[in-house]
């Protein structure tokens, strides 16, 4: 039985194969009955548009059914231990797609449950999003070997998953973060020891120089709203705008996992401009979700 809690749950060959498989699924309009007779519970402690919709549609494209749960709909928001919830749900449904805060919650579901668990986002990792972003890149530049990918913003769950991806895919990853907002040192060191080409700087202009892809995210994620003003000050100069794009490769494309705060981490003209891939990127969540589900239930 497979779980997908982070990109590290894959072998390198599996990560590469997932990107190719998702591309095949997209181009063929793939449907199957792989999940026929199965029900997957989507447990979301954080709000979502793209993640929820893409997973619900993906599961149905594979013949399955979904049940959506929030803390208001279950004991998750009350006093029942997670290990009890995990054991009970394992007797009712055939898989869990969980969007929550702490990565340790997913690990507890895996420890005490007996069904596959998929990480739909935690504070530590967002693996489904990054795998979808890799698909978006693959559609335009299938050979990653000479690519420079820049991450501009917070050293958050997105940055962590990009770091994990850099272990398996041969691009150069430049990470630009303000001082005090660096990615987890252990995650960075582990990836570097495994051969990932990663460079961390506090100067976004250095990170984007010659980049083929620039990625960003909101400065204050869900649960960090009280830090908004502090972060606006810390992230001044990290906005993806025309001046920043002028430093990148002439063919540079822009990625943003959405939702976007126009005028903060990215300007309207870039988000809506010809170098933006954000809408293809959003669509690709659906196709990558199908590939991940297929891997979980067939490998």
């Amino acid at each position: 039985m497979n779980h997908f809690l982070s990109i590290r749950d894959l072998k390198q060959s599996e990560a590469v194969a997932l990107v190719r498989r998702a591309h095949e699924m997209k181009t063929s309009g793939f449907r199957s009955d792989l999940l026929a007779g199965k029900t997957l519970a989507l447990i979301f402690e954080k709000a979502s548009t793209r993640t929820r919709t893409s997973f619900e549609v993906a599961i149905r494209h594979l013949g399955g059914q979904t049940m959506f749960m929030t803390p208001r709909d279950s004991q998750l928001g009350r006093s029942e231990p997670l290990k009890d919830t995990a054991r009970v749900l394992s007797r009712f449904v055939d898989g869990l797609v969980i969007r929550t805060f702490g990565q340790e919650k997913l690990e507890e579901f895996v420890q005490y449950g007996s069904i596959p668990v998929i990480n739909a986002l935690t504070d530590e990792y967002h693996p489904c999003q990054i795998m979808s972003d890799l698909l978006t890149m693959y559609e335009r530049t299938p050979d990653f070997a000479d690519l420079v990918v820049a991450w501009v913003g917070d050293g958050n769950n997105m940055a962590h998953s990009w770091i994990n991806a850099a272990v398996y895919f041969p691009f150069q990853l430049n990470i630009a973060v303000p001082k005090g907002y660096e990615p987890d040192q252990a995650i960075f060191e582990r990836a570097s020891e495994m051969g990932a080409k990663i460079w961390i700087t506090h100067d976004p202009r250095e990170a984007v120089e010659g980049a083929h892809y620039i990625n960003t995210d909101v400065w204050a994620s869900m649960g960090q709203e009280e830090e908004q003003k502090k972060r606006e000050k810390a992230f001044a100069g990290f906005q993806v705008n025309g001046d920043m794009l002028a430093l990148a490769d002439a063919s540079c494309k822009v990625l943003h996992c959405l939702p976007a705060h126009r005028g903060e981490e990215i300007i309207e003209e870039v988000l809506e401009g010809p170098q933006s891939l954000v809408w293809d990127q959003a669509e690709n969540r659906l196709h990558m979700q199908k590939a991940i589900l297929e891997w979980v239930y067939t490998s």
Side-chain angles (χ1 to χ4, degrees):
M1 178 173 60
N2 285 321
H3 304 286
F4 188 59
L5 306 191
S6 80
I7 293 173
R8 295 201 318 271
D9 288 331
L10 303 167
K11 300 175 182 176
Q12 181 177 21
S13 59
E14 291 173 326
V16 173
L18 270 182
V19 173
R20 293 174 178 167
R21 179 59 175 150
H23 184 253
E24 291 173 359
M25 288 176 160
K26 180 176 182 178
T27 55
S28 67
F30 184 79
R31 304 287 192 278
S32 82
D33 58 359
L34 172 67
L35 299 180
K38 290 182 168 58
T39 299
L40 279 73
L42 278 64
I43 303 175
F44 281 39
E45 291 190 282
K46 290 187 174 186
S48 168
T49 298
R50 283 152 294 279
T51 301
R52 176 182 176 180
T53 305
S54 59
F55 262 113
E56 291 215 30
V57 175
I59 290 165
R60 290 169 186 173
H61 280 186
L62 300 182
Q65 299 183 40
T66 62
M67 179 177 65
F68 184 75
M69 302 171 66
T70 70
R72 294 189 302 273
D73 306 318
S74 69
Q75 293 295 331
L76 287 173
R78 301 183 179 90
S79 59
E80 183 174 70
L82 282 180
K83 61 183 180 181
D84 293 1
T85 301
R87 287 179 288 200
V88 169
L89 288 179
S90 293
R91 298 184 179 224
F92 294 152
V93 299
D94 302 285
L96 300 173
V97 178
I98 303 176
R99 184 177 176 94
T100 186
F101 293 90
Q103 185 80 6
E104 69 279 358
K105 291 187 177 183
L106 299 186
E107 294 166 356
E108 191 166 354
F109 271 105
V110 168
Q111 180 180 356
Y112 290 98
S114 57
I115 54 177
V117 177
I118 296 174
N119 181 358
L121 177 143
T122 64
D123 289 345
E124 190 166 355
Y125 297 117
H126 199 359
C128 294
Q129 177 68 59
I130 301 306
M131 291 301 297
S132 301
D133 297 348
L134 292 168
L135 169 60
T136 307
M137 291 165 50
Y138 178 81
E139 291 177 314
R140 289 153 184 85
T141 49
D143 183 359
F144 290 179
D146 296 321
L147 293 182
V148 176
V149 178
W151 173 260
V152 178
D154 193 9
N156 59 10
N157 52 3
M158 289 284 289
H160 292 161
S161 289
W162 271 113
I163 289 170
N164 285 342
V167 174
Y168 291 157
F169 296 88
F171 52 78
Q172 169 67 43
L173 178 62
N174 296 342
I175 298 177
V177 295
K179 290 181 180 180
Y181 294 89
E182 294 84 0
D184 184 274
Q185 186 68 17
I187 295 172
F188 167 70
E189 289 179 355
R190 182 172 53 241
S192 298
E193 290 168 0
M194 295 177 70
K197 298 180 292 184
I198 308 170
W199 176 51
I200 298 178
T201 178
H202 296 121
D203 185 348
R205 296 173 64 85
E206 290 181 346
V208 303
E209 186 171 356
H212 302 96
Y213 292 92
I214 297 176
N215 306 257
T216 192
D217 191 9
V218 294
W219 292 340
S221 298
M222 284 176 285
Q224 300 171 334
E225 290 81 4
E226 72 282 356
E227 302 178 26
Q228 179 67 32
K229 295 300 181 183
K230 175 185 175 182
R231 284 173 171 264
E232 286 177 7
K233 183 177 180 180
F235 284 82
F238 283 76
Q239 183 185 77
V240 177
N241 53 34
D243 291 341
M244 189 173 289
L245 283 177
L247 299 171
D249 187 86
S251 65
C252 182
K253 301 297 183 183
V254 175
L255 301 174
H256 192 306
C257 60
L258 300 177
H261 293 171
R262 291 163 167 85
E264 290 184 14
E265 76 278 0
I266 191 168
I267 64 170
E268 174 85 11
E269 291 78 6
V270 170
L271 188 71
E272 300 285 359
Q275 291 172 275
S276 172
L277 298 179
V278 297
W279 316 118
D280 290 343
Q281 182 186 3
E283 179 195 338
N284 282 340
R285 293 296 305 278
L286 169 63
H287 310 296
M288 180 52 69
Q289 253 73 294
K290 286 196 281 190
I292 290 169
L293 288 162
E294 185 180 70
W295 175 78
V296 166
Y297 284 93
T298 62
S299 299

